[in-house]
Amino acid sequence: MILARVSGTVVSSRKAEKMEGLRLLLLEKIDPISMKGKNEFVVAMDGVGAGLGEIVFYVSGSGARMAETTLGLPTDATVTAIVDVIEQNGNISYQK
Amino acid sequence: MILARVSGTVVSSRKAEKMEGLRLLLLEKIDPISMKGKNEFVVAMDGVGAGLGEIVFYVSGSGARMAETTLGLPTDATVTAIVDVIEQNGNISYQK
Amino acid sequence: MILARVSGTVVSSRKAEKMEGLRLLLLEKIDPISMKGKNEFVVAMDGVGAGLGEIVFYVSGSGARMAETTLGLPTDATVTAIVDVIEQNGNISYQK
Amino acid sequence: MILARVSGTVVSSRKAEKMEGLRLLLLEKIDPISMKGKNEFVVAMDGVGAGLGEIVFYVSGSGARMAETTLGLPTDATVTAIVDVIEQNGNISYQK
Amino acid sequence: MILARVSGTVVSSRKAEKMEGLRLLLLEKIDPISMKGKNEFVVAMDGVGAGLGEIVFYVSGSGARMAETTLGLPTDATVTAIVDVIEQNGNISYQK
């Protein structure tokens, strides 16, 4: 899974039928040392109700369809966790 | 999913049987901040009727075969949405 | 799918059993603007009878096993089309 | 599989249901020549009880769900081995 | 599939149960023009009995579990062929 920040949302009125009613998040990947954005973006489905600015991680590939809310959907990226704490080398490097 | 602009089409008369009659799009990935092309291209199947120049996103991997029109086809990239609005950090950064 | 040029072949006498008798192509990825090689290579199975120098595209991942000739084979890249025409922004940028 | 060092853990109270009770590792990919970190990070599930600082490798994609502890879970990266020895060109380049 | 040279082996006593008894190869990806290593490494399962220094190619993703010896195993990379000859643009560029 890859760490990212929720940087926005993407709205589409013309999309694959199965996607109706789903919220689409724009994520920016982050470096977990500096917690800064890496200017690399993905559009992900939301499996946990993540909000703007929150640090999350998302699952890629077929795993993106293993969350309760995304079974059988045409997705390759799904947010499956909002991050509370990142601990590195014994120190807390991020706390929500 | 990855944001891209429809930059053209690819025509092939000699291809895998299951692909007969399908429209093949040439997509250029875009940076969602500047909305400029990144000079990275993929050929994708079209699940939504996307037109030249439109901003879309596409699904990669096995998810590319989860749209209504691509079930069982030999694809690893399918356009599943035409983008109307991108909102970043509370501001509309793109509107169709 | 990714655009590439058939740059050669790979021969192996010691390989997974299921691969006996299959032709293995060496592909060089191309930039569809300049049509030049990107010096990035993959070995792919051949689903369409592609010849040396031809512009093709190949499918990656599990989709590489969705062509008629590659069902159940241990492949992650299969050529599924020989390209006749690439049209970009209304102009023909490549014609076979 | 990719070689990495366990650099920390990620804690989340709001995550996909199936992930309750699972330990999430922060991994930094390493170069196996110098054994130094490459400043590229992934969050992985733990299939072997790996500890902080240990050299491991992880499986990506659907293979990440083929370990005994991760069947059916929404993961795309799982640690499946703690490395004891790396031998390169006849020499032991790493020993735990 | 990707061309690589067998540069060593990886030994692990603590690993996912299904992996007991399997040989794990360290591969360095090569450039097929110069045949030089690219300093990019992967750990792969061995489906053909490849030896140190041999030029091979490996399958990634779910295809890595389609060889006779790796069905159902937690792998995302398996060597499926030892390369005898690479022919590029009509010339033999590598011969074992």
Side-chain angles (χ1 to χ4, degrees):
Chain A
M1 285 71 74
I2 300 292
L3 291 162
R5 181 178 282 112
V6 180
S7 70
T9 53
V10 175
V11 179
S12 166
S13 55
R14 196 151 154 203
K15 55 191 167 189
E17 282 180 37
K18 298 174 184 176
M19 293 167 68
E20 290 301 327
L22 284 169
R23 196 154 150 262
L24 297 163
L25 300 175
L26 184 67
L27 305 182
E28 183 178 8
K29 299 179 196 182
I30 59 163
D31 170 60
I33 302 294
S34 67
M35 297 302 287
K36 285 189 183 161
K38 297 175 75 171
N39 206 29
E40 297 170 12
F41 294 84
V42 298
V43 179
M45 290 194 183
D46 184 5
V48 289
L52 185 64
E54 285 189 306
I55 302 297
V56 300
F57 63 71
Y58 67 94
V59 182
S60 296
S62 53
R65 301 188 294 277
M66 306 297 281
E68 287 80 2
T69 51
T70 58
L71 290 170
L73 296 183
T75 181
D76 61 7
T78 299
V79 173
T80 52
I82 301 171
V83 174
D84 293 319
V85 174
I86 300 176
E87 193 176 313
Q88 289 182 71
N89 302 316
N91 301 311
I92 291 175
S93 62
Y94 169 77
Q95 189 152 23
K96 197 183 170 180
Chain B
M1 284 72 76
I2 300 291
L3 292 162
R5 181 177 282 112
V6 180
S7 70
T9 53
V10 175
V11 179
S12 165
S13 54
R14 195 151 154 204
K15 55 191 167 188
E17 283 180 37
K18 298 175 183 175
M19 293 167 67
E20 291 301 328
L22 284 169
R23 196 154 151 262
L24 297 164
L25 301 174
L26 185 66
L27 305 181
E28 183 177 9
K29 299 180 196 182
I30 59 163
D31 170 61
I33 302 294
S34 66
M35 297 303 286
K36 287 189 182 159
K38 296 175 77 171
N39 205 29
E40 297 170 13
F41 294 84
V42 298
V43 177
M45 290 195 182
D46 184 6
V48 289
L52 185 64
E54 285 189 306
I55 302 297
V56 300
F57 62 72
Y58 67 94
V59 182
S60 296
S62 53
R65 301 188 295 277
M66 306 296 281
E68 286 79 2
T69 51
T70 58
L71 290 170
L73 296 183
T75 181
D76 60 7
T78 300
V79 173
T80 52
I82 300 171
V83 174
D84 293 319
V85 174
I86 300 175
E87 193 175 316
Q88 288 182 72
N89 301 316
N91 302 310
I92 290 174
S93 61
Y94 168 78
Q95 189 152 23
K96 197 182 170 179
Chain C
M1 283 72 75
I2 300 292
L3 293 162
R5 181 178 282 111
V6 180
S7 69
T9 53
V10 175
V11 179
S12 166
S13 54
R14 195 150 154 203
K15 55 191 167 189
E17 284 179 37
K18 299 175 184 175
M19 293 167 68
E20 290 301 328
L22 284 169
R23 196 153 150 263
L24 296 164
L25 301 174
L26 184 67
L27 305 181
E28 183 177 9
K29 300 180 195 181
I30 59 162
D31 170 60
I33 302 294
S34 67
M35 298 302 287
K36 286 191 183 158
K38 298 174 75 171
N39 205 29
E40 297 170 12
F41 295 84
V42 298
V43 178
M45 291 194 182
D46 182 7
V48 290
L52 185 64
E54 284 189 307
I55 301 297
V56 300
F57 62 71
Y58 67 94
V59 182
S60 296
S62 53
R65 301 188 295 277
M66 306 296 281
E68 287 79 2
T69 52
T70 58
L71 290 170
L73 296 183
T75 181
D76 60 6
T78 299
V79 173
T80 52
I82 300 171
V83 174
D84 294 319
V85 174
I86 300 175
E87 194 176 314
Q88 288 182 71
N89 301 315
N91 301 312
I92 291 175
S93 62
Y94 168 78
Q95 189 151 23
K96 196 183 169 177
Chain D
M1 284 71 74
I2 300 291
L3 292 163
R5 181 177 282 111
V6 180
S7 70
T9 53
V10 174
V11 179
S12 166
S13 54
R14 197 152 153 201
K15 54 191 168 190
E17 281 180 37
K18 298 175 184 176
M19 293 168 68
E20 290 300 328
L22 285 168
R23 195 154 150 262
L24 297 164
L25 301 174
L26 185 67
L27 305 181
E28 183 178 9
K29 299 179 194 180
I30 59 162
D31 171 60
I33 303 294
S34 66
M35 298 301 287
K36 286 190 183 160
K38 297 175 76 171
N39 207 29
E40 297 170 13
F41 294 85
V42 297
V43 178
M45 291 194 182
D46 184 6
V48 289
L52 185 65
E54 285 190 305
I55 302 298
V56 300
F57 63 70
Y58 67 93
V59 182
S60 296
S62 53
R65 300 188 295 277
M66 307 296 281
E68 287 79 2
T69 51
T70 57
L71 290 169
L73 295 183
T75 181
D76 60 7
T78 299
V79 174
T80 53
I82 301 172
V83 174
D84 294 319
V85 174
I86 299 175
E87 193 175 314
Q88 289 182 72
N89 302 316
N91 301 311
I92 290 175
S93 62
Y94 168 77
Q95 190 151 23
K96 196 182 170 178
Chain E
M1 284 72 74
I2 300 291
L3 293 162
R5 181 178 283 112
V6 180
S7 69
T9 52
V10 175
V11 179
S12 166
S13 54
R14 195 150 154 204
K15 55 192 167 189
E17 283 180 36
K18 298 174 184 176
M19 293 168 67
E20 290 301 327
L22 285 168
R23 195 153 150 263
L24 297 164
L25 300 174
L26 185 67
L27 305 181
E28 183 177 8
K29 300 180 195 181
I30 59 163
D31 170 59
I33 302 295
S34 66
M35 297 302 286
K36 286 191 183 159
K38 299 174 74 170
N39 205 29
E40 297 171 13
F41 295 84
V42 298
V43 178
M45 290 194 183
D46 183 7
V48 290
L52 186 64
E54 285 190 305
I55 301 297
V56 300
F57 62 70
Y58 66 94
V59 182
S60 296
S62 53
R65 299 189 295 276
M66 306 296 281
E68 287 79 1
T69 52
T70 57
L71 290 170
L73 296 184
T75 181
D76 60 7
T78 300
V79 173
T80 53
I82 300 171
V83 174
D84 294 319
V85 174
I86 300 175
E87 193 175 315
Q88 288 182 73
N89 302 315
N91 301 310
I92 290 175
S93 62
Y94 168 77
Q95 190 152 22
K96 197 183 170 178

